[in-house]
């Protein structure tokens, strides 16, 4: 397999899989044509991410990225979570294969969308 | 855990008898077949023998066989060599949308050189319509090239019907039979093809062994120019061990084709039955009957192929997929697009190709594993969760 141990670990034992009922924010990215889709749901408490869950349709890298982002974001303040970039996630996983950097590395985008959705709802 | 290879389409092991036949031609009878002295004698005889064996498998004459390094080379040679030799007659070539890239890409190159190419569509089973072939032929058409069997979905083309159309119009017909030779009977007389590509590594011969079978009187310019090997049709010192291996593989295929194919199709049918019984929301791709005996192509709805493939790999099961993520080019399979498979199903495609190591006991194990893996991936699939909630796709 072309993936490193960290990716294989998150792929085979993904953290925070699921969909939060009655979420405070929802973020979706991707489509089946490109091969990857991610849906993040969040719970916010005192401006912090109290819970983060994801659903992902996609390849090994997409699943590992989703899992890693959820782990990195949980417990962070919203502003801190907004600072997480796709590049940070790839680095935290010890690097993604070059051809997977664009299509599968959308986890942070999906998380940011969920936070933006939450902020929109607060207005 | 026993590893279960269900990706024989990617590579077949060299048959022990093939390996044994090849062995003396590396260090013992290493001579050059074109040498006049005694060292050239054995290799020269071995070459002639291999040529007869490959010809024998196809019902062709030995002088009609040209050895090449790969099926890709043979396909390039046909298209580019034929175009170069016959461009004064016309500049139109017909192929199909589901042909291999070693046919489609040379055709793109020829288009840049002023040729016109028609790629015939296929129906949702992957079949080319002979009537559409007839309609596509113009006064400018110099060659038709349509594959015998699709390496992905396994669909077998109605070759005899297609060649009948070509013959009626007097146009030479090439078939890329790489996926078919060794598994379905392919006699060049009966099927009426003028040029045929095959590769030894598909049917228990070595990698680097392939051939073009070309009907006597057909003319094309060589792709590789140099010495007069292969009667000037393909320059370069002959790869004697590989050619000997190809000959032996062809001989074995001729002897065992019926037995091999019926065994594989029984195992394949059992695998299909087990999978469909164990896993909900599966789709069969290709043609239900007109397909290669060792091929099974399915889509696992709501999940992506590479993730499936990786989990199967962890369970010791090796398969292939046409999903975007499993291709180096990050494009989903052109074949699955051509048969009109929706993107979700193309992404969730799995290709099983059986072979000599396949056993009856594999089917229930593979079904059990796929059932577990599909359920696990569907739990985290937004498409499946949406389906559960809303009941539609």
């Amino acid at each position: 397999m072309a993936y490193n141990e960290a990716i294989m670990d998150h792929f085979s034992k993904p953290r925070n899989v699921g969909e939060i009922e009655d979420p405070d924010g929802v973020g979706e990215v991707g489509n089946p044509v490109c091969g990857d889709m991610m849906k993040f749901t969040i719970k916010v408490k005192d401006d912090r991410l109290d819970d983060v869950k994801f659903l992902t349709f996609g390849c090994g890298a997409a699943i590992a990225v989703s899992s890693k982002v959820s782990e990195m974001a949980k417990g962070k303040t919203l502003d801190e979570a907004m600072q997480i970039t796709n590049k940070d996630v790839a680095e935290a996983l010890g690097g993604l294969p070059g051809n997977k950097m664009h299509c599968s590395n959308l986890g942070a985008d999906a998380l940011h969308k969920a936070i933006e959705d939450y902020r929109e709802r607060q207005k | 855990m026993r590893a279960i290879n269900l990706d024989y389409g990617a590579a077949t092991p060299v048959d022990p008898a093939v390996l044994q036949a090849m062995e003396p031609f590396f260090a013992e009878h290493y001579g050059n077949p074109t040498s006049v002295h005694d060292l050239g004698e054995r290799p020269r005889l071995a070459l002639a023998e291999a040529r007869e064996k490959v010809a024998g498998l196809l019902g062709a004459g030995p002088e009609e066989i040209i050895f090449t390094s790969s099926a890709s080379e043979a396909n390039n040679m046909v298209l580019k060599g034929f175009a170069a030799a016959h461009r004064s007659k016309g500049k139109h070539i017909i192929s199909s949308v589901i042909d291999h890239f070693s046919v489609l890409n040379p055709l793109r190159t020829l288009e840049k050189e002023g040729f016109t190419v028609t790629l015939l569509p296929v129906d949702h089973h992957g079949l080319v319509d002979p009537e559409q072939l007839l309609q596509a032929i113009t006064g400018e058409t110099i060659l038709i090239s349509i594959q015998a069997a699709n390496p992905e979905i396994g669909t077998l083309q109605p070759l005899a019907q297609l060649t009948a159309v070509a013959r009626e119009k007097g146009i030479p017909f090439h078939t890329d039979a790489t996926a078919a030779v060794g598994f379905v009977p392919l006699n060049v007389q009966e099927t009426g093809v003028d040029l045929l590509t095959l590769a030894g590594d598909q049917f228990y011969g070595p990698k680097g062994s392939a051939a073009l079978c070309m009907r006597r009187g057909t003319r094309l310019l060589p792709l590789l120019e140099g010495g007069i090997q292969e009667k000037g049709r393909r320059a370069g010192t002959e790869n004697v061990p590989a050619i000997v291996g190809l000959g032996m593989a062809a001989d074995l295929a001729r002897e065992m084709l019926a037995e091999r194919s019926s065994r594989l199709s029984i195992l394949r049918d059992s695998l299909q039955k087990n999978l469909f019984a164990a896993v909900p929301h599966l789709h069969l791709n290709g043609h239900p009957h007109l397909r290669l005996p060792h091929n099974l192509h399915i889509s696992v709805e709501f999940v992506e192929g590479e993730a499936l493939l990786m989990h199967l790999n962890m369970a010791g099961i090796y398969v292939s997929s046409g999903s975007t993520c499993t291709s180096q080019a990050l494009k989903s399979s052109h074949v699955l697009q051509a048969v009109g498979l929706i993107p979700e199903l193309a992404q969730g495609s799995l290709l099983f190709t059986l072979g000599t190591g396949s056993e009856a006991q594999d089917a229930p194990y593979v079904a059990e594993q796929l059932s577990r893996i599909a359920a696990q991936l569907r739990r985290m699939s937004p498409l499946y969760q949406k389906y559960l909630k809303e009941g539609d796709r």
Side-chain angles (χ1 to χ4, degrees), chain A residues 62-88:
Chain A
I63 290 170
V65 160
S66 310
S67 168
K68 189 71 198 174
V69 173
S70 70
E71 201 180 63
M72 288 165 78
K74 234 174 163 175
K76 286 215 162 60
T77 67
L78 297 186
D79 283 342
E80 283 166 352
M82 287 301 282
Q83 300 295 314
I84 300 171
T85 64
N86 289 328
K87 194 162 159 269
D88 295 338

Side-chain angles (χ1 to χ4, degrees), chain B residues 42-295:
Chain B
R42 277 295 295 272
R44 189 162 50 246
L45 289 174
L47 215 59
E49 202 181 313
R51 209 180 294 281
E52 283 193 9
K53 286 176 174 168
V54 174
L57 176 63
L58 303 171
E63 71 289 352
E64 296 178 309
I65 302 298
I66 305 167
F67 293 116
T68 66
S69 66
S70 63
S72 292
E73 185 197 326
N75 285 340
N76 270 265
M77 181 173 160
V78 170
L79 296 160
K80 293 176 182 169
F82 209 89
H86 300 276
R87 62 189 312 151
S88 61
K89 273 192 233 157
K91 287 189 161 187
H92 180 230
I93 298 175
I94 300 172
S95 184
S96 87
V97 283
I98 63 168
D99 260 75
H100 191 259
F101 284 120
S102 58
V103 168
L104 297 179
N105 288 348
L107 286 175
R108 278 170 120 184
T109 302
L110 289 173
E111 277 184 315
K112 286 180 201 142
E113 291 169 12
F115 280 81
T116 312
V117 173
T118 301
L119 297 182
L120 296 171
V122 292
D123 68 11
H124 68 284
H125 292 309
L127 288 171
V128 173
D129 179 1
E131 183 58 35
Q132 284 186 324
L133 172 60
L134 182 64
Q135 299 302 325
I137 294 170
T138 72
E140 283 275 297
T141 310
I142 54 168
L143 180 69
I144 299 164
S145 178
I146 296 173
Q147 67 187 187
N150 186 272
E152 244 180 284
I153 55 175
T155 303
L156 298 167
Q157 296 300 337
L159 269 191
Q161 289 178 48
L162 295 170
T163 58
V165 171
R167 179 154 300 181
E168 190 191 314
K169 294 281 179 181
I171 298 161
F173 192 103
H174 167 247
T175 190
D176 172 11
T178 308
V181 170
F183 299 97
V184 291
L186 259 176
N187 183 301
V188 290
Q189 308 305 334
E190 287 164 17
T191 52
V193 301
D194 301 295
L195 301 118
L196 179 148
T197 295
L198 65 88
D201 57 348
Q202 288 290 306
F203 56 102
Y204 310 103
K207 293 172 185 66
S209 73
L212 174 66
C213 178
M214 185 164 89
R215 189 179 295 281
R216 211 172 294 120
T218 312
R219 205 168 65 83
L220 49 76
L221 295 186
L223 194 63
L224 294 181
E225 294 175 281
I228 51 157
Q229 292 88 356
E230 303 298 288
K231 294 189 177 155
R233 297 171 296 187
R234 200 270 187 185
T237 299
E238 299 87 345
N239 185 352
V240 178
I243 292 169
V244 167
L246 176 60
M248 182 54 93
D251 220 24
L252 292 174
R254 187 179 48 76
E255 273 171 33
M256 308 198 305
L257 194 136
E259 184 194 332
R260 195 185 266 173
S261 295
S262 90
R263 177 179 168 274
L264 289 173
S265 71
I266 290 168
L267 291 173
R268 186 270 316 274
D269 292 346
S270 158
L271 178 63
Q272 182 178 331
K273 213 174 127 194
N274 274 271
L275 293 179
F276 277 75
V279 190
H281 309 296
L282 295 189
H283 299 255
L284 180 67
N285 301 319
H287 196 285
H289 312 297
L290 301 173
R291 57 175 164 164
L292 290 167
H294 60 311
N295 172 292

